[in-house]
Amino acid sequence: MFITIKNLVKEYKLRNGKILKAVDNVDLEIEKGDIYGIMGLSGAGKSTLIRLINRLEEPTEGEIYVEHVEKGEEIPVKKNVLDFDQNELRNYRKKTGMIFQHFNLLNSRSVGGNVAFPLEISGWKKEDINKRVDELLEIVGLLDKKENYPEQLSGGQKQRVAIARALANNPEILLSDEATSALDPRTTNSILDLLKDINKRFGITIILITHQMEVIRKICNKAAIMSDGKIVEQGGVHHIFAEPKNEITKEFISYV
Ligand code: ADP
């Protein structure tokens, strides 16, 4: 398995002294090339789970194994992300792109400047950066907007810039945190088409969290439904839609 999550727990200590289990004993298995959807109502623990996967948060308990090929080797090795040293963590983050609901672009930088940013941080040479930025903007269909600034773009275009930026360092994993939740239905569809295309063309594994069942149905091959920090149902999307077992899943499907 490409990503294996075992008994993952994240507890927050609240001000009243009580403990809240935002992620409660989660087990997940994600294969290379999956578009894996994690769905649940607001407060279910989705953002916390995704932030644990790229170690923006440290779990209270559990393991997150990611398979990767080490330099000079051919056979992939499995490593617990939680055991990474600083260097391994930096490499892992480079190989894990992320996109957000509100795009998180730098307003003081042009479109090209935003896409160049992670490459500058990674120490790329100037002429290589320019070439790579053009390549990335071509992928997301925004080459003609290279000199524009984020405020001159529509929401869908902003998300395309964010996707180009997330792809800059050739990630193996793309994490999407409600990436289409601020967009109208038509724009949502075009962004989902782009994500699917990226998944196919570059073999990037996508983990996306959403509260929209349509998103799951449109592009995911597998999904997990979360409620109160727990995974209450998981499996192939067709199967989940055909035979939902959990009440929460049934309710979600009834909205589509
Ligand atoms: P979702 O993304 O599904 O909306 P979250 O992962 O944001 O859910 O939140 C899950 C639960 O954890 C919620 O009850 C939320 O209030 C709580 N929570 C999230 N972050 C923190 C934090 N830093 N401190 C305390 N509680 C938190």
Side-chain angles (χ1 to χ4, degrees):
M1 204 53 65
F2 182 49
I3 302 172
T4 307
I5 296 174
K6 283 188 180 166
N7 306 318
L8 200 64
V9 176
K10 176 65 182 179
E11 292 179 348
Y12 289 114
K13 193 162 185 194
L14 303 180
R15 271 201 230 141
N16 61 12
K18 285 196 177 143
I19 301 281
L20 179 119
K21 276 196 177 178
V23 170
D24 190 357
N25 254 296
V26 163
D27 291 310
L28 272 186
E29 295 209 323
I30 298 167
E31 279 179 85
K32 199 159 180 57
D34 273 347
I35 304 186
Y36 204 109
I38 297 169
M39 207 190 56
L41 295 171
S42 179
K46 308 181 295 298
S47 299
T48 307
L49 176 59
I50 216 164
R51 291 165 63 83
L52 291 171
I53 293 175
N54 67 355
R55 273 193 66 182
L56 285 173
E57 302 256 10
E58 295 297 320
T60 312
E61 278 177 51
E63 290 140 285
I64 303 169
Y65 293 98
V66 176
E67 206 175 75
H68 74 123
V69 181
E70 306 227 320
K71 253 195 187 145
E73 300 290 329
E74 276 179 17
I75 300 164
V77 291
K78 239 180 201 185
K79 276 205 164 177
N80 188 350
V81 170
L82 304 168
D83 293 336
F84 281 168
D85 61 27
Q86 281 306 315
N87 198 25
E88 287 173 315
L89 186 57
R90 212 172 308 122
N91 283 333
Y92 173 61
R93 290 242 174 88
K94 242 194 244 176
K95 291 290 167 198
T96 310
M98 188 154 180
I99 53 172
F100 306 88
Q101 180 174 3
H102 296 297
F103 326 120
N104 295 13
L105 298 180
L106 298 165
N107 290 322
S108 61
R109 279 186 169 230
S110 65
V111 163
N114 268 281
V115 179
F117 194 61
L119 300 170
E120 288 169 17
I121 291 178
S122 302
W124 283 50
K125 283 201 235 109
K126 216 170 176 188
E127 53 280 20
D128 294 340
I129 291 182
N130 206 25
K131 196 165 153 255
R132 178 72 180 141
V133 167
D134 285 0
E135 221 171 78
L136 290 158
L137 288 175
E138 180 85 53
I139 292 168
V140 301
L142 278 187
L143 195 49
D144 59 330
K145 302 282 184 209
K146 189 175 175 184
E147 307 303 332
N148 284 53
Y149 280 79
E151 63 183 18
Q152 300 166 314
L153 303 179
S154 69
Q157 289 170 332
K158 284 182 195 167
Q159 196 57 288
R160 283 173 187 270
V161 178
I163 291 170
R165 181 182 57 182
L167 296 180
N169 279 310
N170 288 309
E172 290 181 39
I173 304 168
L174 180 66
L175 303 175
S176 166
D177 186 348
E178 299 278 7
T180 55
S181 298
L183 305 174
D184 62 65
R186 192 196 282 176
T187 311
T188 293
N189 276 335
S190 78
I191 294 293
L192 294 179
D193 285 341
L194 175 62
L195 291 177
K196 199 161 189 175
D197 181 51
I198 285 165
N199 164 262
K200 275 224 183 87
R201 273 172 77 184
F202 307 112
I204 298 175
T205 304
I206 301 178
I207 305 174
L208 65 84
I209 64 174
T210 181
H211 64 277
Q212 299 167 298
M213 200 73 183
E214 310 91 84
V215 169
I216 303 276
R217 192 167 61 169
K218 183 139 201 274
I219 65 163
C220 296
N221 61 321
K222 292 185 201 142
I225 318 295
M226 271 186 100
S227 172
D228 287 333
K230 294 191 179 67
I231 303 259
V232 293
E233 185 151 357
Q234 62 177 305
V237 166
H238 293 303
H239 187 73
I240 289 180
F241 270 89
E243 289 176 48
K245 291 188 180 63
N246 191 279
E247 283 312 310
I248 291 164
T249 319
K250 286 180 192 165
E251 194 182 327
F252 269 122
I253 290 174
S254 72
Y255 298 147
V256 182

